[in-house]
Amino acid sequence: MEFFGSSNHGTLSTFFSHYSSLMHPGTDFLLKPVFIHGFSGSLHIVLVFVLFFSWLWRKFKGGDGGGGEAPKQRFSNSRNSYYKQVLICTFCVSGISLVFCLLNYFSWYKNGWSDEKVVILLDLAVRTLSWGAICVYLHTQFSNSAESIKFPNFLRVWWGFYFSISCYSLVTDIVLHKDRVSLPVKSLVFDVVCVVLGLFFMYVGFFGKKEGRDSVLEEPLLNGNRSTSVGNDGESNKSRGGTNVNPYSSAGIFSILTFTWMGPLIAAGNKKALDLEDVPELDKVDSVFGSYPRFKSKLDVGCGGSGRVTTLHLVKALIVSAWKEILLTASFGIFYTMASYVGPYLIDTLVQYLYGRRQFKNEGYVLVSAFLFAKLVECLTQRHWFFKTQQVGVRIRAALVTAIYNKGLTLSCQSKQGHTSGEIINFMTVDAERISDFTWYMHEPWMILVQVGLALVILYINLGLAAIATLIATIIVMLANVPLGSLQEKFQDKLMKSKDKRMKATSEILRNMRILKLQAWEMKFLSKINELRKSEAGWLRKFVYTWAMTSFVFWGAPTFVSVVTFVSCMLLGIPLESGKILSALATFRILQEPIYSLPDTISMIAQTKVSLDRIASFLCLDDLQPDVIENIPRGSSDTAVEIVNGNFSWDLSSPNPTLKDINFKVSRGMRVAVCGTVGSGKSSLLSCILGEVPKISGTLKLCGTKAYVSQSPWIQSGKIEENILFGKQMDRGSYDRVLEACSLKKDLEVLSFGDQTVIGERGINLSGGQKQRIQIARAVYQDADIYLFDDPFSAVDAHTGSHLFKECLLGLLSSKTVIYVTHQVEFLPAADLILVMKDGRITQAGKFNDILNSGTDFEELVGAHEEALSALNSVEEGPAEKISVSKEGNSASTNRFVQKEESNDVQNSKTDDLGEPKGQIVQEEEREKGRVGFSVYWKYITTAYGGALVPFVLLGQILFQILQIGSNYWMAWATPVSEDAKPAVASSTLIVVYVVLAIGSSLCILFRSMFLATAGYKTATILFSKMHHCIFRAPMSFFDSTPSGRILNRASTDQNVVDMNMPNQLGGLANSMIQLLGIIAVMSQVAWQVFIIFIPVVAICIWYQQYYIPAARELARLVGVCKAPVIQHFAETISGSTTIRSFDQESRFRDTNMKLNDSFGRPKFHAAAAMEWLCFRLDMLSSITFGFSLIFLISIPAGLINPGIAGLAVTYGLNLNMLQAWCIWNLCNVENKIISVERLIQYTNIPSEPPLVIESNQPDRSWPSHGEVDIRDLQVRYAPHMPLVLRGLTCTFPGGLKTGIVGRTGSGKSTLIQTLFRIVDPCAGQILIDGIDISSIGLHDLRSRLSIIPQDPTMFEGTVRSNLDPLEEYTDEQIWEALEKCQLGDEVRKKEGKLDSTVNENGENWSMGQRQLVCLGRVLLKKSKVLVLDEATASVDTATDNLIQQTLRQHFTDCTVITIAHRITSVLDSDMVLLLSHGLIEEYDSPARLLENKSSSFAQLVAEYTMRSNSSYE
């Protein structure tokens, strides 16, 4: 078989004529290539027809629905294990045939044609086509399902024929040429390959066994019914134990080398948008369940049990826990570097070969083989180097995040005060991420030395002593990069610090957005964020322009180094030959990488060190003191809690302890009440029993398990049921009893999904009372020994409070030890022991009656309570005397009216249930699916200056490329091929022209970098402003249904991508495409025939890219979506760490965090693998193009082409695979990164609240002058998919009077207030204030004229002054006056900074009661005509409540005061009382009139309260 043998055609003809005489006449034709190839071609044509008709038959037969499924059913439980191998081998036969067809075509193109050659070419072409058809046939038939494969009979017969023909060809070759003519190596190789492949097909067709379905690869990926989600508890164990093996861990060596194990996932991504359950689990080694324990054990060994983690310990633990992978990547790096220098080393030899200087026979093919082998090694090692580093990165990140999370769970309160939750979250999102990114750079420092050393060796071989000049030039360029690198590092550091500040502020604002909107402060706080961003943007601008200069140095480096080298050659008299110059140019291009990456690596090392230091210092923080509590074995003692001589302090450095001389003993089953004024240390006492407060001296003994209910409810986002069970198994009987005792049954009936309702972040869609009762239910369900309640009854109404006390404390918990803090005196007599606290000391202890007369502190509290009760009695008794028997009829009629209302109410609620659309308040995160629309790219490109800078960026890049190619072309053309050839121009002219072109290209790249940096910076700034403006103007419903983690993710991660990455990515894409076009232009100059192979290769590359993108895009989106739950869970854990610890639930929360981390790691790991899967295939394809062009160059006769220009084409071709992969990689990366832009743009389109100010309809400055609130047929629902909350309210609150609103929890009290402030707009009806419809004026005009003391008292991080007067409208005198009025003057004077004394995040260093008083201070400053109190005195004791009421009576006499209260005493002195039930008005009248009617609901509430209060004294 003659595939290459054109030159020795004559010899073979002689041989054949001589040999024919030895054979039987007529049989010699059977040995001629014409017969063999003719026969083979005919058989292949028959095969094509058979395949075609078989396809048609299946088409028509499948159309009538007949029998299409039969074969599938017949073999449904088996699968041929050779399907993939057969498919690959079939593709190989087609590909080899195509390569040999093209090679022969070019080989014979110059030397004329013959019949034999035409037949050979046709046979090869038909082979290519027919085997390609078999490939398609196999793929379409068997790839889409896991059903069986039994290869068709005709295919097996064909394989038999093919094997026979291949053997015949090989035997003919050997027989004909034995001892006569030298054997054509290429023909023999081809025949051997065909025989080996034929043998494999024969084995598979006739002896291959079937085996059970390959469940490992197929089921998790393609079977939709099976979930592999980490969140699913049923599957979570698989992730932990690695039993649900992912394709990577079970893949064979070939599959791992070629990344074929990723195929099923990418195929699945092509068929549908991937969801998390489609992504396979991580292998145990990569999973956090495998990587964290290994890291933790190494860290503990390093620290030697001291617990003091240093940066060195951290680094050692990280390295030791992944040392195998680090060594493996290092070896890949070495092999890659050596292989990448083979090309530059051999270019001179290739140029000399093309010039005609050949050292031995077949030298050309040896050179081509060397080039291609080096390319193959380079490709394989680079791909696996990159993949392995990312794999290590995923492990390191998971281990660090878990370590940070676990530390966050055990931090002491003092340590936590030094780090806000925003900062701790940053350790996880920024620092851990950066350390995992460093795995890309970990080998750079020593590899740079290897790369520069190899480059200098090659240059020394080619250019002698001029290599020293190269070294000096390289050092100069690297040194030029150092100041730029250090500047970049400095700016990056400043940028991160300012970003931290901004994120901290953003996180606090999002937490308290409701209060900001109620007070009309949101735009002021937006300007605060904008100020912080302005400072951040200043550093960002410096950073991007420094980056532009670095970029200029990067692109200019090879040019500068080559100019210095060539000038040195001229001065030293070293002759410049085109081969040596091209070798040098190729070397300079590779040198560009270490030159550029040095400053980048230095910067990355510095950044990573900063992150390591930050994490190490965080891991060093003090944990809770382990020895605070002395735990006595359960059941071994009758004492439940005992404190002897206890001194405790939140701040150990403070001379004044928080709790002093604490002595008390609580026996098992006792009820202990703790009372005292605001700030006396009641909550601190409970915290100290929990072990939260550092101990100075004394002993604290505890016997049994604990359950704790905090004062401000901590609710996890998730289902109500999950919050109550809190990790315990469901016991339906016990669960129902707890719901009943906590009066949650009715609430759950009202909620659309009952206890399956998903609670929004921080319980946003529940009322304060509901949150508190869920907290109590959680504690009661745990069945602990010791219960600690921190004033849980204050947030619920009187009826519910007494029910909870009776059913929970006196009922379900009657045999338990209960310690409860309360401000309600009526709950004190039931206690076996009462502790009265003042200034951190227990001033009195004993039973109610014993201590009532023995001290002033307790007497004060009870006195205040009696005063409130006497007011109640006077209201109650006055009208009662006037009631006579004749009124009974009225009473009965009223009762009937109420009953009728109730039956209507039930009816309404039923119709509401049937007719209204239902839905959870927290919807799943919005995730775009499918291709990112062109509109997103267009918006991004045209945001800055309408896209005016884009053409300049492109022009700069194009000119740079033209000048670069021009300068290299000039050097290749103008220099002689060897010493004896005459140079085309003088050496001075050669260098001058080269220098001019080099300077021109450098200037172009400088302008391009500057324009790109400017456009990117401007775009990031505009998108930030737009998004934040839209977020701050969003309605409250947006914040209720959107967890803050989602918003923070966009404000940090996505904004960071737009700030730092997006301009480079888009610029890099344009750059790589322009460079690729330049290479194609240079290569086609030498041989246009390259296009014959280049066009199909590019088409295949594009097809691959299109095939890969759907899966990659969804994986990138999943990475974004899976990150938010990790952050949110972490934020929730930090805020609820006390509750979690008190229930001993740390291990469950750690487990959840690990599962969420694995959910994030899965798409990240597979996205990295998918990228390498694509790059590997692109590298292989570009190597084919490069190899083909090399073979073409060595096949054409010498002298037909300029060797210098041919060498230039090869020089550029060496970069072809890298550039082609870079181009596609950039394209994919842009597609992945543009998702961040898409997510930001998503939030620039949030529907906005109504306008803040309506210029045409602004109320007078004096409005509201009277304060009359008129409500007409008001109907409200929180979202279109949720039921009505208020269902047709009509009433009037008279101006200047006090109106109290009462009702059971969840009756719609808070909703009415929110509608008054237009937090929620009514879906029907209206509210008028002084005759003006509040819906017709701007929101700020409305909200700034109303005042509110909200249910949850809020303080912001800052100072006392900034908390009372954020808008800076009042003088210090006015502020002090307000503080005096709200009883905080003395407290603030005690503090060092007075008005400038610091307030911690969430006002943590102020008690709940004090925070409530601060809110009162704000109202006193504002002096509005309409004041709303939303359970404003819930967190204060009765005495302070009386003080607040007195203050309000004194300063708001002529104002309309609307009070929502659970304490009946708070509304008794109101002029009117409105009683709501299930969103309807049940009663509305003056308290006296309502009390006259004993059967009225209000009278019953009061009677209940009085009875409860009086019963306490019996």
Side-chain angles (χ1 to χ4, degrees), residues 434 484-496 498-499 535-551 596 599-600 603-604 607 1009-1010 1013-1014 1017 1056-1061 1063-1064:
R434 189 178 294 145
L484 285 172
S486 62
L487 271 178
Q488 254 186 306
E489 184 198 328
K490 176 189 163 190
F491 296 150
Q492 168 96 11
D493 188 42
K494 297 281 188 188
L495 184 63
M496 287 315 297
S498 45
K499 196 184 285 290
S535 143
E536 183 187 344
W539 294 114
L540 177 64
R541 188 171 58 245
K542 288 174 181 168
F543 180 83
V544 293
Y545 284 123
T546 314
W547 169 83
M549 289 307 295
T550 313
S551 179
Y596 175 65
D600 214 20
S603 158
M604 197 64 194
Q607 287 176 40
S1009 299
M1010 286 302 186
T1014 306
Y1017 166 75
N1056 198 41
V1057 168
V1058 173
D1059 284 349
M1060 319 276 269
N1061 303 12
N1064 304 1

Side-chain angles (χ1 to χ4, degrees), residues 1493-1513:
N1493 181 358
K1494 291 293 181 193
S1495 60
S1496 75
S1497 298
F1498 183 67
Q1500 285 166 7
L1501 266 178
V1502 171
E1504 200 176 282
Y1505 183 82
T1506 316
M1507 189 172 70
R1508 187 182 77 185
S1509 302
N1510 289 334
S1511 68
S1512 1
Y1513 296 97

Side-chain angles (χ1 to χ4, degrees), residues 748-754 757 908-923 1277 1279-1284:
L748 296 182
E749 282 163 20
V750 173
L751 293 168
S752 313
F753 294 87
T757 301
N908 284 352
S909 78
K910 279 178 186 166
T911 54
D912 200 36
D913 283 359
L914 295 169
E916 300 299 337
K918 299 270 169 59
Q920 299 280 23
I921 188 164
V922 180
Q923 301 295 311
R1277 60 159 53 95
H1281 59 264
M1282 298 184 83
L1284 284 169

Side-chain angles (χ1 to χ4, degrees), residues 270-324:
N270 243 313
K271 294 190 186 81
K272 71 178 197 73
L274 290 176
D275 290 312
L276 189 59
E277 49 269 22
D278 300 315
V279 183
E281 300 288 354
L282 290 171
D283 187 22
K284 188 176 179 183
V285 194
D286 299 314
S287 157
V288 68
F289 291 100
S291 57
Y292 176 69
R294 203 165 52 251
F295 162 75
K296 184 79 176 86
S297 67
K298 305 294 179 198
L299 189 61
D300 291 344
V301 168
C303 297
S306 67
R308 288 280 146 199
V309 180
T310 63
T311 308
L312 187 63
H313 290 146
L314 198 58
V315 173
K316 271 166 75 178
L318 288 170
I319 290 171
V320 174
S321 62
W323 68 270
K324 286 178 189 167

Side-chain angles (χ1 to χ4, degrees), residues 1169-1189:
M1171 175 63 86
E1172 300 311 326
W1173 176 91
L1174 176 71
C1175 288
F1176 174 78
R1177 278 145 185 79
L1178 298 183
D1179 278 358
M1180 288 293 111
L1181 287 165
S1182 54
S1183 296
I1184 289 170
T1185 314
F1186 179 56
F1188 177 77
S1189 55

Side-chain angles (χ1 to χ4, degrees), residues 11-29:
T11 319
L12 284 174
S13 302
T14 314
F15 168 73
F16 272 117
S17 61
H18 167 75
Y19 197 76
S20 63
S21 61
L22 303 173
M23 301 190 65
H24 192 276
T27 57
D28 61 335
F29 176 70

Side-chain angles (χ1 to χ4, degrees), residues 1 91 287 548 550 598 641 672 689 728 856 860 986 1090 1206 1488:
M1 288 173 74
F91 183 73
S287 157
T550 313
L598 180 67
V641 181
V672 179
I689 295 168
K728 213 175 171 204
T856 54
E860 262 174 44
V1090 171

Side-chain angles (χ1 to χ4, degrees), residues 609 631 1166:
K609 187 182 180 304
N631 281 305
H1166 287 92

